[in-house]
Amino acid sequence: MTSSSGPAGASVAVRIGTMESSSTTGGSTRREATRQKLYEAAVTLIAEQGFSATTVDEIAERAGVAKGTVYYNFASKSVLFEELLRHGVGLLTASLRDAAEQTAREGGSRVDALDAMVRAGLVFIDRYPAFTQLYVAELWRTNRAWQSTLMVVRQQAVAVVEGVLREGVAGGEFSDEIDVQLTAAALVGMVLVAALDWKSFQPERSLDDVHAALSRLLQGRVSGKG
Amino acid sequence: MTSSSGPAGASVAVRIGTMESSSTTGGSTRREATRQKLYEAAVTLIAEQGFSATTVDEIAERAGVAKGTVYYNFASKSVLFEELLRHGVGLLTASLRDAAEQTAREGGSRVDALDAMVRAGLVFIDRYPAFTQLYVAELWRTNRAWQSTLMVVRQQAVAVVEGVLREGVAGGEFSDEIDVQLTAAALVGMVLVAALDWKSFQPERSLDDVHAALSRLLQGRVSGKG
DNA sequence: GTTTTTGAACTGACTGGTCAGTGCAAAAAC
DNA sequence: GTTTTTGCACTGACCAGTCAGTTCAAAAAC
């Protein structure tokens, strides 16, 4: 009903990784491809309308499969959403960890690591804006079926930032008076909101541009003539 | 269905100000009181479950009024929600503006003004956590009925922060290379996410404590032994 | 007596989930 | 190498339940 005529896939969809499709494990490719299509369809629809307002019929239609196929691949609407959540945050966490480790490997400081993670976060949001949107919208809700799942994956992601902060404190690079947990949350929020604003209201700007602005803030280079 | 027996108001509800109830304008107080009860009921329920998942019956029950009363006071579920949104953000905006003006009146710097606004933000979130939750969950959604309303009120609030940043740049207190719009968004995000984390995961901590942590970050007092 | 609230019944549209059946490619049987 | 069987993946009409919104007579509240 919403989208008029063309039933051919919308192409705007956001790909959420490939898990372990090709290479070694043969695993039925057909099913995996269908699941992927369903993820892509669900992520944009739920980001736009929210979980409850998005119908399974819509997801199926957008993915170009029958409704029954959704239930053949996922136990329920909630399960589909939960797996989508787990999958997406898994990618983000891996990306953050990579950024931190690579910086360390190259002998960078902890601030460099933080900066690299800010960039990794921006790259992720740039690639999967709909997923990010959906994640933020659900994160602080309570009393929902997937709450525990959400908490687990959130903690995995935030822990990476906290880890770098703690190392920085231990190594004397950061003040030992900082509140690691709260600072980590604040940093995540900084990137999250700035990036969502970027995508929503100034999508034409480059990632480097946005990254530069956040770097400045991160390193306290705001005060002064510059 | 959800809450078991007790129909007597839950008391957890978040009061969303009083706008212009008392004082000069007499205005039928009775109706206003009913509206207030409906706001309180709606804000917590929608924060927890989302708009679509919250039924009008639930709202009425939680508010302790009949369903007909909801429709006597508001044209529709959406309208109730929109007015709630406008009302809440109006309060926040006023609070931020107050903080900035008061700092200026007392001869504080722009950093002081920013700091005061961070505190004002924390106070607001401390007082109306459910509203904040709901606001964040809806802010970046698209294709929804109240999208335009949301954009308007968002801009009002962010503009206050942007204003202070611009004044700071003009007065030479801030680098003229900062990106006002993006920096404002990042600051808002910093406070928003840190505060929601505070309320969700460390609710026992004091506001001053949280404010101190954010102040440190804001003023770049993170690096160094401290 | 006017305004506001009540509360229960009703409607019509919509939605998550089900299930009997279809299509088809590879394996098995011949 | 042709025919038959198998079973995975998918289909889409259908059902039972839910919900926003309506209606209205009667009761409260002012």
Side-chain angles (χ1 to χ4, degrees), chain B residues 50-167:
Chain B
F51 177 81
S52 304
T54 301
T55 69
V56 175
D57 285 301
E58 278 178 318
I59 296 174
E61 189 194 329
R62 168 95 60 127
V65 303
K67 187 179 183 178
T69 306
V70 176
Y71 285 94
Y72 181 78
N73 283 280
F74 298 96
S76 69
K77 186 186 173 189
S78 291
V79 168
L80 162 56
F81 183 57
E82 256 180 279
E83 294 197 13
L84 171 60
L85 233 33
R86 236 193 303 272
H87 190 64
V89 178
L91 285 180
L92 172 61
T93 304
S95 175
L96 290 178
R97 206 166 283 156
D98 271 4
E101 284 172 5
Q102 174 138 4
T103 307
R105 215 176 302 122
E106 292 173 355
S109 69
R110 300 301 169 185
V111 174
D112 292 334
L114 243 34
D115 197 62
M117 288 165 73
V118 167
R119 173 167 269 271
L122 289 176
V123 169
F124 181 87
I125 297 173
D126 188 31
R127 216 192 192 67
Y128 312 116
F131 179 81
T132 308
Q133 215 170 298
L134 161 169
Y135 179 71
V136 170
E138 292 296 333
L139 186 53
W140 293 285
R141 283 209 204 300
T142 48
N143 299 347
R144 306 221 83 176
W146 50 80
Q147 250 276 310
S148 58
T149 300
L150 214 41
M151 286 296 85
V152 171
V153 294
R154 181 206 96 100
Q155 193 47 42
Q156 286 173 356
V158 174
V160 182
V161 180
E162 290 180 353
V164 171
L165 285 175
R166 256 188 274 275
E167 289 169 11

Side-chain angles (χ1 to χ4, degrees), chain A residues 46-53 111 133-134 136-138 140-144 151 154 172-179 181-183 185-190 192-194 196-198 200-202 205 209-210 213-214 216-217 220-226, chain B residues 46-53 111 133-134 136-138 140-144 151 154 172-179 181-183 185-190 192-194 196-198 200-202 205 209-210 213-214 216-217 220-226:
Chain A
I46 297 179
E48 282 170 7
Q49 308 175 326
F51 177 81
S52 303
V111 174
Q133 216 171 297
L134 160 169
V136 170
E138 292 296 333
W140 293 284
R141 282 211 204 300
T142 49
N143 299 347
R144 305 221 85 178
M151 287 295 86
R154 182 207 94 100
E173 190 178 346
F174 298 144
S175 161
D176 58 3
E177 282 183 2
I178 69 167
D179 183 306
Q181 207 175 138
L182 215 53
T183 305
L187 289 174
V188 169
M190 190 183 91
L192 215 52
V193 174
L196 285 171
D197 247 58
W198 161 38
S200 298
F201 310 123
Q202 316 178 276
R205 297 186 59 169
D209 203 16
V210 177
L214 292 185
R216 202 163 339 218
L217 192 57
R221 287 187 283 108
V222 171
S223 301
K225 269 262 161 46
Chain B
I46 298 179
E48 282 170 7
Q49 308 175 325
F51 177 81
S52 304
V111 174
Q133 215 170 298
L134 161 169
V136 170
E138 292 296 333
W140 293 285
R141 283 209 204 300
T142 48
N143 299 347
R144 306 221 83 176
M151 286 296 85
R154 181 206 96 100
E173 188 178 347
F174 297 145
S175 161
D176 57 4
E177 282 183 1
I178 69 168
D179 183 304
Q181 207 175 137
L182 215 53
T183 305
L187 289 174
V188 169
M190 192 184 89
L192 213 53
V193 174
L196 285 172
D197 247 59
W198 162 38
S200 298
F201 311 122
Q202 314 178 274
R205 298 187 58 169
D209 203 15
V210 176
L214 292 185
R216 201 163 337 210
L217 193 56
R221 287 187 283 109
V222 171
S223 301
K225 269 262 160 48

